[in-house]
Amino acid sequence: MRLHHVGIAVEDLEAAKARYLLLGFRVEAEGEVAAQGVRVAMLRGEGEALLELLAPLGPETPVGRFLAKRGPGLHHLAFATPDIEGALAALRAAGARPVDETPRPGFGGHRVAFLHPSFAQGVLWELVEG
Amino acid sequence: MRLHHVGIAVEDLEAAKARYLLLGFRVEAEGEVAAQGVRVAMLRGEGEALLELLAPLGPETPVGRFLAKRGPGLHHLAFATPDIEGALAALRAAGARPVDETPRPGFGGHRVAFLHPSFAQGVLWELVEG
């Protein structure tokens, strides 16, 4: 697999975008994932891995609760796989506990699935099909 | 710039490596950075961005203190630049506060410099020359 993007929880999407523009990153896509209660800006630099800024639409959302507990900062690692069901099954067989038992639509129309951070020493993993 | 690697603070380097091997990542390099009190495993997947596992050599090290305060998890984002002095000057002019006033040797012989996470909503940034 390859690293697809790094998810970053932010309180202020515009202010955060401005910081990454300083590094030469550009906004490739932006929009809401209503089912996750989040507004997303996907940033592309000179390389292939993306940065995904995540601002909550309200406090009672996954990212809202993350911010209340941990403050803003690095949130998850997303890995690209051509076969998300196969990857999910292999990780489950190795002891990982899926947050999503079956893949669901994520930002940009990709199918995604998250895995509980207990499996990877505190790191929330996301699988992205593509 | 491009994302060079994601730094991940871990308590058990061998156990953490085993998790990323499941994703198809391989250990590209491993060793100690004594000046930072850390043992490092640099992992490469199918993409260009690397994952850097960081295990502290003792509690009174930067990563040891991070683990005591936050627990294991995502630690920093590293960006590659061909001109680390120029990038550092530009970020300082934009209001960033360097942890390292001048670049210093990092893992693998690259010159590196860290920036305080207050600048990027809680994310510790590293510049890597290369």
Side-chain angles (χ1 to χ4, degrees), chain A residues 1 19 46-48 119 121, chain B residues 1 19 46-48 119:
Chain A
M1 290 196 212
R19 296 312 198 201
E46 289 167 10
E48 66 189 3
F119 185 66
Q121 294 192 36
Chain B
M1 290 194 211
R19 297 311 199 201
E46 288 166 10
E48 67 190 3
F119 184 66

Side-chain angles (χ1 to χ4, degrees), chain A residues 95-99 115-125, chain B residues 11 15 19 72:
Chain A
R97 190 160 55 96
V99 174
L115 297 149
H116 280 285
S118 54
F119 185 66
Q121 294 192 36
V123 179
L124 177 63
W125 283 0
Chain B
E11 287 167 338
R19 297 311 199 201

Side-chain angles (χ1 to χ4, degrees), chain A residues 61-108:
Chain A
T61 58
V63 174
R65 287 188 287 269
F66 179 93
L67 287 173
K69 188 177 173 189
R70 309 271 311 222
L74 297 169
H75 183 264
H76 69 266
L77 295 183
F79 300 97
T81 171
D83 172 17
I84 193 168
E85 270 94 359
L88 205 49
L91 288 167
R92 194 195 313 252
R97 190 160 55 96
V99 174
D100 302 296
E101 288 295 331
T102 57
R104 58 178 175 75
F107 184 67

Side-chain angles (χ1 to χ4, degrees), chain B residues 4-91:
Chain B
H4 182 273
H5 68 259
V6 181
I8 303 167
V10 303
E11 287 167 338
D12 182 334
L13 197 62
E14 293 307 313
K17 280 182 346 196
R19 297 311 199 201
Y20 290 94
L21 297 187
L22 287 173
L23 299 181
F25 281 72
R26 295 288 169 257
V27 179
E28 180 169 282
E30 190 169 339
E32 290 184 7
V33 184
Q36 285 292 302
V38 77
R39 183 164 185 84
V40 171
M42 199 62 92
L43 309 182
R44 186 176 291 282
E46 288 166 10
E48 67 190 3
L50 303 167
L51 300 178
E52 181 185 41
L53 304 180
L54 304 155
L57 297 176
E60 291 307 316
T61 59
V63 174
R65 286 187 289 268
F66 178 93
L67 287 175
K69 187 177 173 189
R70 309 269 313 219
L74 297 170
H75 182 265
H76 69 267
L77 295 183
F79 300 97
T81 172
D83 172 16
I84 193 168
E85 270 94 358
L88 205 49
L91 288 167

